[in-house]
Amino acid sequence: MAFTRTHPRGAPRRGGNVSTRLPPSEPEARRRAGGAGSVGRVTSTPLPTDPPASPSNPSVDPDPAEQTVPLSTPPQTPIGRIPVLDVTPVVDGGARPTKSVVGEAFLVTATVLREGHDAVNASVVLTDPDGTDHVQPMVCTNVGLNQWEAVVTADRTGLWTFRVEGWSDPYGTWEHDATVKIQAGVDTDLMLAEGALFLERAAETENRTPEGAALLRQGAATLRDESRPAQVRLSAVTHGPVHDELTTTPVRDLVSPSAAYPLLVERELALAGAWYEFFPRSEGATYDETTHTWRSGTLRTAAERLDAVADMGFDVIYLTPIHPIGSAAKKGPNNTLDAGPDDPGSPYAIGSPDGGHDAIHPDLGTFEDFDAFVARARELGLEVALDLALQCSPDHPWVAEHPEWFTTRADGTIAYAENPPKKYQDIYPLNFDNDPAGIYAEVRRVVQVWIDHGVTLFRVDNPHTKPVEFWQWLIQDVAQDHPDIIWLSEAFTKPAMMRTLAKVGFQQSYTYYAWRNTKPELEEYVTELAGETSPYMRPSFWPTTHDILTPYMQFGGPAAWKLRAALAGTLVPTYGIYAGYELMEHVARPGAEEQIDNEKYQYKDREWSSYDAGGPREGQSLAYYLKRLNEIRRAHPALQWLRNIAFHHADDANIMAFSKRRILDDGREDVVIVIANLDPHSTRWSRVVFDMEALGLHPDEGFRAHDLVTDQWWDFHREVMVQLGPDHEPVHIIELVRW
């Protein structure tokens, strides 16, 4: 169903009308079955109970003349002739898609078994959005436990599926039996004859090339050549070209597929990127010492800052809300309730007579100015992210036009936002239960306004305070027309909610990184993110935000600010920096873990030019360090993946070592090693012991270690001694170079 939602007075809101698909009914939602954020117009995605057609699959009615084997009925699901179990990575049993990006390698595993002693084999099948199957062999990694695995990649965006097929391997069975028996002198002639019959049969399979068929027929003739010793004939077809042909294009009997599980493949920025956040009103803001008044920065002055952001190597410029701000209960400096007439208020108190979420604050400029900002960002290689904060000032047009969208208390007042003991008197939260269709439609229209003006990413404020099913619908609905849009969830909340938001569509998630400071905390957390939750949750590490300034950052000094940026940018593929990080703004508001004189409530002129060469504060900025970090990230593809991390041993409890390794398309290896001193207050020595296999090396090998921060070179072996801390550098970021 599609309809157009307009302003109640009849005039369309700014940005024009948007044809909006309402949330589907429950049966319709199940019919779509594509999970959150589906790409393309997919009308049906097989669920775990709907595997592809096969002799053992009752969901596809076979020809009665061919139906000879009775099958199980519900509540049992037929297990298949060759059972395939425990397929991973699967999200919620296949109800939601596993996630990947173009070119990202991920591991598919399964348990595959059969009765008796005949050889069994397995393949993983990726089906692309056009319905074409891509078959890849799996490897048995534990014969006793019947464990199989394969590393797979998808080469383009869209909604794929993957399944595991177990199958009987007649060549493997014959090869094993013939080798054992002929070596023992048992049934020699019979085994050779059976092998010849099999090769002749294999030559006739449909997918065999003429050259391959000829090779197998020649192999059959060799097995029948009684002039040659039996062992020679056997070796001719169990090694060399015949063996290679049957490995590359095997004969697969009794093929038994698992369910087909959804796989959502997205663009690379959904996994890896560097974000830079600023408040546009502060960029270009000026203070008049004579009148003691501020003049707001604009979108035009903010655009002047983009060159510096791009020069540091960031991929995304993230704007906090740029909408009109209400005057009711307006917050003053440092979150006080006594705002003066010239105080700007919090940009999160959205809405005034000048407009709401689809409008721009008059102080910042017009949509023409916004379009110019986006255009300049694109010229510099930056994409624009906008804060989506679904909350309202009491002055928001929605409050008067749709009071049913809010919660009315017993005394008749509208409830403002609270997170006890915190109170947000300047904000009304939306109530999605009174008119969900109306709210869904209006938010979808607002999102479209900003997409039409070039926004490609949304940082969503507090999504855990809105219904999860709303986000699932919204993200999927947007993706049908705009599959490149990326959503970042700012939900610092319980793990179950953070994970569920990721499952239903958010491509990226803020994390607990800011509060994970010790080696055990970091190693345990990153192991979880790179393993258990990696099929659906992509972490974004932020050392600070406009809401967060931890004690570690308040008191750690320059070493802490270098360290936390370097770890954020190397432990995971996506990280973010809040403006002022370069300047190590570390003073907190008393009693709060956030900056004093916070930009949420006032303007800030950082006087960026004073840190330039020749300026009075030259050398006091970490801009050079962030630039080098981003250069390293771009030059080393290993750092652009999440699941490829390995931790190494360090004797000192404050020294953490890890590596990332990636095999590139051209066969080259990219290996990056990071060794960090987590104690920002003291310089420490420690022995580090590398897991050489994780580095792609033999235990007795050495390598050249190139520090990418300082450009120093060392010869490393399995065990090395390192010195790190505020007296030197707190972090080594090392490129492994083979001797």
Side-chain angles (χ1 to χ4, degrees):
M1 176 179 180
F3 67 99
T4 299
R5 184 164 188 83
T6 60
H7 192 285
R9 292 189 291 270
R13 290 197 187 277
R14 191 175 315 198
N17 297 336
V18 176
S19 178
T20 305
R21 290 166 287 269
L22 280 177
S25 63
E26 185 68 15
E28 173 68 6
R30 290 180 178 174
R31 184 188 68 79
R32 292 184 183 178
S38 298
V39 177
R41 305 274 184 188
V42 178
T43 57
S44 179
T45 300
L47 292 175
T49 54
D50 302 320
S54 74
S56 60
N57 177 17
S59 66
V60 179
D61 294 331
D63 185 334
E66 299 177 0
Q67 178 63 19
T68 59
V69 180
L71 298 175
S72 303
T73 58
Q76 287 271 8
T77 298
I79 199 166
R81 182 62 180 80
I82 308 294
V84 177
L85 311 170
D86 305 324
V87 177
T88 69
V90 173
V91 180
D92 288 352
R96 272 154 280 285
T98 297
K99 295 179 184 177
S100 178
V101 300
V102 174
E104 181 191 7
F106 64 96
L107 186 69
V108 175
T109 70
T111 300
V112 182
L113 64 150
R114 69 164 302 171
E115 82 293 342
H117 301 288
D118 284 0
V120 65
N121 217 316
S123 307
V124 59
V125 182
L126 268 65
T127 304
D128 66 29
D130 294 331
T132 301
D133 285 347
H134 305 264
V135 182
Q136 183 170 324
M138 302 183 78
V139 175
C140 186
T141 58
N142 189 313
V143 175
L145 296 179
N146 304 107
Q147 293 178 344
W148 294 76
E149 66 179 42
V151 176
V152 301
T153 61
D155 61 4
R156 60 191 171 102
T157 60
L159 186 61
W160 297 55
T161 64
F162 71 98
R163 66 183 185 270
V164 173
E165 294 180 340
W167 42 278
S168 178
D169 183 359
Y171 175 64
T173 300
W174 174 82
E175 182 183 42
H176 173 269
D177 292 351
T179 299
V180 171
K181 289 186 176 183
I182 291 174
Q183 286 178 348
V186 176
D187 294 337
T188 297
D189 293 339
L190 180 60
M191 295 309 301
L192 294 172
E194 289 182 347
L197 290 174
F198 167 74
L199 293 180
E200 290 168 345
R201 171 198 164 199
E204 301 301 323
T205 53
E206 290 183 4
N207 56 344
R208 191 78 56 195
T209 65
E211 296 78 10
L215 180 66
L216 296 184
R217 293 189 185 97
Q218 179 59 45
T222 298
L223 289 178
R224 290 194 171 98
D225 184 359
E226 297 181 357
S227 67
R228 305 171 68 182
Q231 190 65 51
V232 172
R233 286 184 274 166
L234 175 67
S235 180
V237 298
T238 56
H239 300 82
V242 172
H243 180 274
D244 293 344
E245 171 68 18
L246 290 169
T247 300
T248 303
T249 311
V251 175
R252 305 195 312 158
D253 288 347
L254 305 176
V255 176
S256 302
S258 72
Y261 299 101
L263 170 67
L264 180 60
V265 182
E266 298 171 301
R267 63 188 181 115
E268 289 92 331
L269 191 62
L271 173 65
W275 290 48
Y276 189 94
E277 172 196 359
F278 68 40
F279 284 68
R281 70 187 188 185
S282 285
E283 301 301 329
T286 56
Y287 183 70
D288 189 320
E289 296 285 354
T290 302
T291 62
H292 302 288
T293 58
W294 281 92
R295 182 177 180 180
S296 173
T298 68
L299 289 166
R300 295 283 181 174
T301 60
E304 297 173 7
R305 177 69 182 152
L306 293 177
D307 289 83
V309 175
D311 183 66
M312 285 186 286
F314 288 93
D315 305 296
V316 176
I317 183 69
Y318 150 43
L319 310 180
T320 53
I322 60 174
H323 316 299
I325 298 171
S327 59
K330 183 170 64 174
K331 293 296 182 75
N334 292 308
N335 200 28
T336 61
L337 296 176
D338 54 349
D342 296 326
D343 289 322
S346 169
Y348 289 90
I350 297 170
S352 80
D354 292 313
H357 287 75
D358 56 357
I360 294 174
H361 196 295
D363 288 352
L364 293 175
T366 65
F367 270 94
E368 182 180 357
D369 298 323
F370 184 81
D371 293 342
F373 180 94
V374 172
R376 180 57 182 155
R378 288 179 174 173
E379 289 175 2
L380 296 169
L382 292 163
E383 294 194 36
V384 177
L386 183 64
D387 219 317
L388 181 64
L390 294 183
Q391 57 209 28
C392 301
S393 157
D395 300 323
H396 197 294
W398 289 349
V399 177
E401 296 162 5
H402 293 284
E404 71 277 11
W405 291 0
F406 305 90
T407 298
T408 303
R409 307 192 69 176
D411 62 0
T413 62
I414 294 178
Y416 56 75
E418 294 186 75
N419 184 14
K422 293 182 180 181
K423 295 184 177 182
Y424 305 93
Q425 297 91 339
D426 56 341
I427 291 174
Y428 288 167
L430 292 171
N431 184 330
F432 281 75
D433 294 330
N434 295 337
D435 179 22
I439 295 178
Y440 279 39
E442 176 66 352
V443 174
R444 177 66 181 87
R445 187 194 63 79
V446 165
V447 167
Q448 189 64 44
V449 168
W450 298 107
I451 293 174
D452 290 344
H453 284 277
V455 172
T456 55
L457 308 96
F458 290 93
R459 180 267 195 190
V460 178
D461 191 65
N462 291 324
H464 56 292
T465 62
K466 288 82 181 173
V468 173
E469 66 176 1
F470 162 73
W471 296 118
Q472 183 178 37
W473 170 80
L474 178 66
I475 295 172
Q476 184 172 5
D477 194 76
V478 169
Q480 292 187 59
D481 298 315
H482 307 282
D484 286 346
I485 299 298
I486 293 171
W487 303 79
L488 169 62
S489 165
E490 189 254 357
F492 296 109
T493 185
K494 296 177 181 178
M497 175 59 79
M498 293 175 69
R499 294 182 177 193
T500 302
L501 289 167
K503 289 177 180 179
V504 302
F506 280 95
Q507 283 83 4
Q508 297 178 4
S509 305
Y510 279 81
T511 62
Y512 306 128
Y513 171 68
W515 301 277
R516 299 292 189 267
N517 297 310
T518 68
K519 181 161 69 171
E521 289 172 343
L522 284 165
E523 290 186 352
E524 180 182 12
Y525 191 41
V526 174
T527 297
E528 171 192 315
L529 294 171
E532 178 186 355
T533 63
S534 65
Y536 57 87
M537 182 174 174
R538 302 188 186 105
S540 183
F541 276 11
W542 293 69
T544 66
T545 72
H546 60 265
D547 291 316
I548 300 170
L549 183 66
T550 62
Y552 189 97
M553 305 304 290
Q554 294 173 35
F555 306 112
W561 290 76
K562 282 185 173 182
L563 169 74
R564 295 299 288 183
L567 289 181
T570 56
L571 281 168
V572 299
T574 288
Y575 86 112
I577 294 296
Y578 164 47
Y581 194 94
E582 309 97 304
L583 312 183
M584 295 170 281
E585 296 175 344
H586 64 281
V587 180
R589 177 163 59 89
E593 288 189 12
E594 64 178 35
Q595 290 181 0
I596 197 167
D597 302 331
N598 198 298
E599 284 181 277
K600 288 187 293 184
Y601 312 109
Q602 60 194 80
Y603 303 110
K604 179 173 286 189
D605 180 5
R606 292 189 168 90
E607 300 178 1
W608 293 110
S609 61
S610 69
Y611 297 89
D612 294 339
R617 300 171 184 168
E618 180 183 358
Q620 298 178 33
S621 169
L622 290 180
Y624 77 95
Y625 194 83
L626 298 174
K627 179 177 181 177
R628 184 62 189 137
L629 175 60
N630 287 331
E631 288 173 344
I632 293 168
R633 284 167 47 86
R634 288 188 174 179
H636 289 275
L639 296 176
Q640 297 163 20
W641 281 1
L642 172 64
R643 310 178 220 218
N644 59 336
I645 194 165
F647 289 97
H648 303 269
H649 172 78
D651 291 345
D652 191 299
N654 288 281
I655 301 293
M656 185 172 74
F658 61 92
S659 64
K660 290 198 167 187
R661 176 172 175 247
R662 177 172 170 179
I663 310 298
L664 306 181
D665 291 341
D666 60 7
R668 293 181 298 115
E669 285 186 323
D670 181 37
V671 183
V672 176
I673 301 168
V674 179
I675 308 174
N677 178 4
L678 305 180
D679 176 5
H681 304 289
S682 61
T683 295
R684 293 175 177 270
W685 282 89
S686 180
R687 182 182 69 126
V688 175
V689 182
F690 295 116
D691 177 349
M692 300 298 278
E693 183 179 357
L695 300 179
L697 300 172
H698 296 294
D700 57 349
E701 278 190 273
F703 59 93
R704 293 283 282 160
H706 179 207
D707 190 308
L708 297 168
V709 176
T710 64
D711 200 29
Q712 293 175 284
W713 288 81
W714 306 286
D715 290 335
F716 275 11
H717 293 82
R718 181 172 176 270
E719 297 185 15
V720 298
M721 292 295 296
V722 298
Q723 182 184 28
L724 293 163
D727 297 331
H728 304 278
E729 287 288 339
V731 182
H732 289 318
I733 305 179
I734 294 168
E735 174 187 26
L736 186 153
V737 180
R738 288 179 176 269
W739 281 344

